Amino acid sequence: MRDSILVTGGAGFLGSHLCERLLRDGHDVMCVDNYFSSSRSNIYHLLDNPHFEMVRHDLTVPFYAEVQAIYNLACPASPIHYQHDPVRTIKTNVQGAINMLGLAKRMKAKIFQASTSEVYGDPQIHPQHESYWGNVNPIGIRSCYDEGKRCAETLFFDYKRQYNIDIRVARIFNTYGPRMHKHDGRVVSNFILQALNNESITIYGDGQQTRSFCYVDDMVEAFVRFMNIKEDISGPINLGNPTEFTISELADKVVAMTGSRSKVIYKELPSDDPKQRQPDITQAKKSLDWKPTIELDEGLQKTITYFDQLLSNEMNSN
Ligand code: NAD
Ligand code: UDP
């Protein structure tokens, strides 16, 4: 059956892939975004689709629509973007969640929350299981995002307890792929662009910190499975690729795969930068029958091809 689905942050990196997927699955998709950390070009190709509707709107302001399901993704995800206006980041996380939960309550709609591995902060338990409460600095430069997302999780579970809303809370670990914002400063896009331009690869700290990188198609598959499962499973569920790499290993891989002449340079590690991060995805495997299928080399190749094309298009238009 064709559902009406709202995707907040639908013009962003993950949101645009999710909108595409939901349209392919035969739904009507309404995308709400204020383009704070994205651009219209991510969704240009969807604008002619009669089942797609784009609304420019800031989620900190209430929004009403007739929908059966809501994916709440609106929030800048890269440290550069979310630290640019920290107060606004908290407002988007908290007031945005309240507005969307209110809509879900009114419409009796299912609602999915894009939470994050950042709720674990700089984790002292490794790998991170959903039962871990985290190690978050409440007053640091990442707190607007980490604590904002933690508060949003609280709101989701309180709305469920108080109003019996059908919620799905996913804790997303580092995800990458085509349509990451060119200037968002996240490590995969930074390294690929630096390598393609033969510029220095900027490793923050000694490069021994770890991350586990999930390709966007795997992540979107997990979102849809989580939203569609019939069982009453609210989560939180970790979603990510559990294969862990040091940042130095990632840099070496990107340089080798692009055949770049770039050399690595070391810069200061930003404060509160987590030392290690790896999802325990036992719960996702069991409840969603899901695990990532795209290894880092394959996903990186697709992402390199995307950025390479983007750079040549820019060069041709100059
Ligand atoms: P993104 O920055 O590309 O997308 C976020 C989108 O939200 C953008 O289009 C932005 O313009 C929009 N937005 C921001 N504030 C808004 C507001 N007040 N009103 C309306 N729209 C607003 O980031 P992404 O990587 O696509 O992340 C999507 C979601 O997934 C975010 O909630 C993020 O916290 C979460 N997440 C992502 C990752 C990842 O690795 N990509 C990891 C953990 C969590
Ligand atoms: N990082 C880096 N060089 C860069 C960008 C990021 O060494 O040019 C590091 C960053 O300090 C962090 C890791 O890569 O340890 C992942 O950073 P990102 O911003 O992608 O995500 P997050 O820290 O939110 O996991």
Side-chain angles (χ1 to χ4, degrees):
M1 202 190 77
R2 187 176 283 283
D3 279 334
S4 271
I5 303 182
L6 174 62
V7 180
T8 79
F13 160 50
L14 292 178
S16 60
H17 287 275
L18 176 63
C19 288
E20 262 175 14
R21 165 64 189 266
L22 295 172
L23 288 167
R24 264 204 317 276
D25 287 352
H27 300 297
D28 286 324
V29 176
M30 181 184 283
C31 162
V32 174
D33 204 298
N34 66 352
Y35 302 121
F36 177 76
S37 54
S38 59
S39 77
R40 247 181 285 203
S41 59
N42 281 348
I43 46 153
Y44 270 154
H45 61 296
L46 303 179
L47 293 176
D48 285 340
N49 187 323
H51 298 289
F52 181 75
E53 194 176 350
M54 173 65 213
V55 183
R56 185 176 193 143
H57 179 82
D58 185 328
L59 249 279
T60 58
V61 177
F63 179 78
Y64 301 102
E66 305 276 318
V67 290
Q68 279 99 44
I70 303 166
Y71 285 87
N72 187 37
L73 272 63
C75 176
S78 88
I80 287 186
H81 282 149
Y82 70 66
Q83 288 164 14
H84 171 72
D85 188 343
V87 172
R88 189 176 169 139
T89 300
I90 298 183
K91 282 186 184 164
T92 297
N93 273 317
V94 178
Q95 192 59 54
I98 291 171
N99 289 337
M100 286 305 97
L101 284 160
L103 179 63
K105 180 177 158 218
R106 202 166 60 93
M107 292 307 304
K108 298 190 182 7
K110 274 195 286 195
I111 181 164
F112 171 100
Q113 167 66 355
S115 190
T116 169
S117 53
E118 289 282 319
V119 301
Y120 301 121
D122 190 4
Q124 290 165 327
I125 303 280
H126 195 72
Q128 292 77 54
H129 184 268
E130 291 87 348
S131 59
Y132 178 48
W133 289 355
N135 176 37
V136 177
N137 175 359
I139 56 168
I141 55 170
R142 293 175 86 103
S143 316
C144 59
Y145 183 75
D146 301 5
E147 296 289 19
K149 288 283 186 183
R150 284 169 70 95
C151 183
E153 285 200 8
T154 309
L155 283 161
F156 269 71
F157 281 89
D158 279 337
Y159 267 75
K160 177 184 166 65
R161 282 185 286 263
Q162 210 169 324
Y163 303 115
N164 203 25
I165 307 279
D166 188 352
I167 61 163
R168 313 285 155 119
V169 176
R171 290 183 178 158
I172 304 166
F173 284 63
N174 297 64
T175 305
Y176 69 98
R179 298 201 205 119
M180 293 181 85
H181 195 290
K182 198 177 149 207
H183 298 298
D184 79 6
R186 284 187 269 190
V187 69
V188 173
S189 45
N190 258 17
F191 285 2
I192 292 177
L193 284 162
Q194 289 163 345
L196 290 173
N197 289 321
N198 291 307
E199 292 165 357
S200 303
I201 306 278
T202 53
I203 289 188
Y204 303 157
D206 61 6
Q208 292 312 297
Q209 70 271 38
T210 67
R211 294 293 186 272
S212 310
F213 300 101
C214 185
Y215 188 67
V216 58
D217 291 356
D218 279 332
M219 187 55 67
V220 166
E221 176 65 31
F223 287 5
V224 172
R225 283 185 191 216
F226 193 6
M227 191 63 134
N228 291 344
I229 43 169
K230 296 279 173 277
E231 295 83 7
D232 182 18
I233 298 176
S234 304
I237 297 185
N238 287 338
L239 299 179
N241 189 322
T243 315
E244 189 182 10
F245 293 89
T246 66
I247 294 305
S248 287
E249 285 170 331
L250 176 71
D252 292 345
K253 245 183 206 303
V254 171
V255 170
M257 290 175 74
T258 49
S260 172
R261 297 191 302 280
S262 296
K263 296 273 175 283
V264 163
I265 56 164
Y266 292 88
K267 293 196 156 186
E268 200 181 333
L269 188 69
S271 67
D272 294 333
D273 198 283
K275 285 181 270 312
Q276 51 184 2
R277 195 183 280 154
Q278 183 190 31
D280 177 334
I281 59 163
T282 314
Q283 172 74 5
K285 284 182 178 162
K286 187 167 146 255
S287 306
L288 312 181
D289 189 23
W290 172 87
K291 64 175 193 258
T293 57
I294 299 163
E295 296 304 333
L296 185 58
D297 281 21
E298 186 188 347
L300 278 181
Q301 195 51 62
K302 291 174 196 256
T303 314
I304 290 167
T305 305
Y306 166 80
F307 279 113
D308 200 21
Q309 190 66 54
L310 190 78
L311 291 178
S312 14
N313 290 349
E314 280 175 7
M315 225 153 62
N316 293 338
S317 66
N318 285 335

